[in-house]
Amino acid sequence: MSMRTLILKSATTLLTSPMRRRMARDGAALAARLRGERPTVRYFHQADDPYSHLAAQMLPRLRARYAAEIEVHLAPPPEDSAAPDRERLRGYGLRDAVRLARAHGLEFPSNPALPAPEAVLRLQAILADALDRDRFDATAAAAGNALWSGDMRALEAMAALNGAAEPGLADQSLAAGEATRRRLGHYLGGMFHFEGEWFWGVDRLGWLERRLADRGLDREPGARPLAPALEPTLDAPPAGSPPTLEVWFSFRSPYSWLVMPRIRRLARAYGAPLELRPILPMVMRGLAVPRIKTLYIALDSKREAERLGLPFGAIVDPVGAGAERALAVLHHAIPLGLGQEFAELGLKAAFADGIALAEDKGLFDVARRAGLTDAQTTAALADDTWRTRVEGNRAALLDAGLWGVPAFRVSGGPAHWGQDRLWMLEQDIRDALNPAPAGPKSGRRTSRADGS
């Protein structure tokens, strides 16, 4: 193991260690008490973000359940470097929010429309006025529904009802919210912050609830979380010919590691073929990944790995040569029927075992454990044709309306993005096996794993 590999492994193990996290939490709680603050959750609302619309609907429930202050801030969209394919993100967010809302019993129009810029400006003014009058919770859900339904008349009526906002109040609120978000160390809307830790929207609210409960702030201790994590049920499949599943992933994506063993398990449960679609990491495709984003993803992945019972933390970043070499070997492993095993072991090596895929010792060891001979690995590394496969996968991902990984779909159907969307994929599998009459999909087949 090279010195660089040893340093990377040691640094990331420390960064993601439960001990460091406990110390950070305790330090943030102590600092707040010394400042004379009550336990305070800070929520950052982005008016044109569908996930913020869902998160805002949880605020009254959180206030009722937990004895903590909730401080709301308006926030602008993230910079381009943190949202590298903004148009695809906007389009995907609409259809994703529809199903996420149903699964959590929240409101989102079944046929949402991307809001016009003037509608977003109107909503920002309404929300800034509501914040100023201390009635954000009551206003945000109704005004957000009007925005995502494209109902400008309703927005105008709400503006009249809330009174004419002070000129420039929305700009002032957005600037103040952005300054606070930057000071605390984040970049997205729909985020909750509590004593040094960040939680994204409804999807990570279960973790926030656990933090609040651990601080003795839960008024209903032991009761079911308001927003538990969603996972596949793996129930007995309906009769029928299983559809093919496709999964896009990158050897540099920690969320790809979290999804790979689980999507393989899901495919086996339904007897479904699993087609691997590897792609290059984002930074190797010309898409920026800011350091603050990389740090948040690492810490969030550690929490999620603990929930899922997967190892995580001894990381050796495979960007560059490591990713390319792994892709070359995978290209040869797939036709040998060893692709899934190599993909899972390669991801585990990079994010849990502290193994450098850029070094011969690490890569050959992973390949052997996947069933490849050294001669096969050597031949793979001398073959550059993997680039054609990877480029085709990248183009297919863009055609599917997505840009990042992990992503997956029932072949030809709508694609989903994120390790926390496998429950949607399971619904699609079951729908393909047992087609229902035309109509909106429900979340009835979803299990709710504890978000702790």
Side-chain angles (χ1 to χ4, degrees):
M1 182 180 296
S2 71
M3 183 58 68
R4 177 181 180 275
T5 298
L6 183 60
I7 291 172
L8 285 173
K9 178 180 177 180
S10 300
T12 56
T13 299
L14 177 61
L15 172 68
T16 59
S17 70
M19 180 180 292
R20 186 215 62 85
R21 184 173 57 206
R22 285 194 300 270
M23 292 176 63
R25 289 174 174 177
D26 292 346
L30 176 60
R33 285 196 293 269
L34 291 175
R35 291 193 299 268
E37 295 179 2
R38 291 193 58 198
T40 300
V41 174
R42 291 174 175 84
Y43 167 64
F44 295 84
H45 188 84
Q46 179 184 325
D48 62 345
D49 170 34
Y51 301 107
S52 289
H53 179 57
L54 301 184
Q57 293 174 55
M58 297 299 300
L59 295 178
R61 305 181 197 184
L62 287 169
R63 294 185 199 276
R65 173 78 178 263
Y66 298 98
E69 299 288 333
I70 299 181
E71 184 181 286
V72 178
H73 300 265
L74 292 187
E79 297 177 352
D80 289 344
S81 60
D85 198 331
R86 197 178 298 274
E87 290 310 305
R88 283 187 174 86
L89 174 62
R90 294 178 76 214
Y92 171 74
L94 285 187
R95 62 181 177 85
D96 186 53
V98 172
R99 293 180 68 170
L100 188 61
R102 291 196 182 113
H104 283 288
L106 301 171
E107 294 185 14
F108 201 81
S110 57
N111 294 298
L114 286 173
E118 58 270 21
V120 176
L121 291 174
R122 174 58 73 194
L123 178 58
Q124 288 172 339
I126 291 170
L127 295 178
D129 187 68
L131 271 177
D132 195 48
R133 298 168 184 262
D134 197 25
R135 54 191 189 195
F136 180 88
D137 291 8
T139 303
N145 281 336
L147 178 82
W148 298 111
S149 300
D151 191 345
M152 278 299 292
R153 287 187 178 181
L155 280 177
E156 295 296 346
M158 289 177 200
L161 183 65
N162 281 278
E166 177 185 334
L169 181 60
D171 290 341
Q172 294 170 21
S173 294
L174 287 165
E178 171 66 351
T180 302
R181 183 172 65 178
R182 281 182 178 272
R183 175 175 59 80
L184 295 174
H186 218 277
Y187 54 95
L188 281 179
M191 296 297 302
F192 295 87
H193 179 270
F194 180 66
E195 294 183 348
E197 197 167 1
W198 289 95
F199 311 87
W200 178 62
V202 176
D203 285 282
R204 298 295 186 271
L205 210 52
W207 280 109
L208 172 59
E209 292 187 75
R210 176 63 180 268
R211 283 290 315 277
L212 294 171
D214 287 347
R215 291 276 276 110
L217 301 171
D218 189 351
R219 296 188 176 103
E220 302 174 34
R224 187 184 189 86
L226 298 173
L230 306 180
E231 286 292 322
T233 63
L234 302 182
D235 289 340
S241 179
T244 296
L245 310 183
E246 300 167 83
V247 56
W248 286 268
F249 68 98
S250 157
F251 280 104
R252 201 202 182 203
S253 161
Y255 294 130
S256 289
W257 156 233
L258 299 186
V259 88
M260 187 59 69
R262 294 155 61 219
I263 198 170
R264 292 184 69 196
R265 187 162 57 246
L266 180 62
R268 287 193 298 268
Y270 285 90
L274 180 61
E275 180 182 348
L276 300 180
R277 285 185 168 273
I279 63 172
L280 283 167
M282 289 181 68
V283 295
M284 297 174 68
R285 290 181 280 133
L287 301 174
V289 182
R291 183 179 179 278
I292 190 174
K293 183 175 181 179
T294 300
L295 178 62
Y296 169 71
I297 288 173
L299 297 177
D300 181 60
S301 294
K302 177 62 174 182
R303 285 187 312 210
E304 287 292 279
E306 290 175 354
R307 178 177 69 82
L308 297 165
L310 292 172
F312 186 90
I315 303 169
V316 179
D317 188 352
V319 68
E324 291 190 339
R325 286 156 57 88
L327 287 167
V329 175
L330 179 63
H331 181 57
H332 277 238
I334 288 173
L336 295 173
L338 302 173
Q340 293 183 33
E341 194 68 17
F342 178 79
E344 181 172 331
L345 288 171
L347 286 162
K348 182 174 181 286
F351 293 104
D353 297 334
I355 293 174
L357 298 176
E359 298 175 7
D360 281 349
K361 184 180 185 306
L363 182 65
F364 275 76
D365 179 61
V366 171
R368 288 186 205 107
R369 286 188 282 125
L372 291 152
T373 67
D374 286 358
Q376 288 169 328
T377 301
T378 299
L381 293 174
D383 181 8
D384 210 32
T385 59
W386 62 268
R387 296 185 185 276
T388 301
R389 179 197 290 268
V390 166
E391 175 55 28
N393 291 339
R394 184 195 68 84
L397 181 64
L398 296 178
D399 287 344
L402 296 176
W403 64 100
V405 294
F408 32 80
R409 67 181 177 185
V410 171
S411 189
H416 307 291
W417 173 48
Q419 64 86 18
D420 40 23
R421 291 297 181 267
L422 286 177
W423 60 273
M424 286 191 187
L425 183 66
E426 183 184 44
Q427 288 180 354
D428 291 352
I429 296 169
R430 298 187 73 90
D431 288 345
L433 288 169
N434 187 20
K441 296 180 179 178
S442 74
R444 65 185 182 281
R445 301 185 193 278
T446 299
S447 73
R448 294 174 175 243
D450 190 282
S452 63

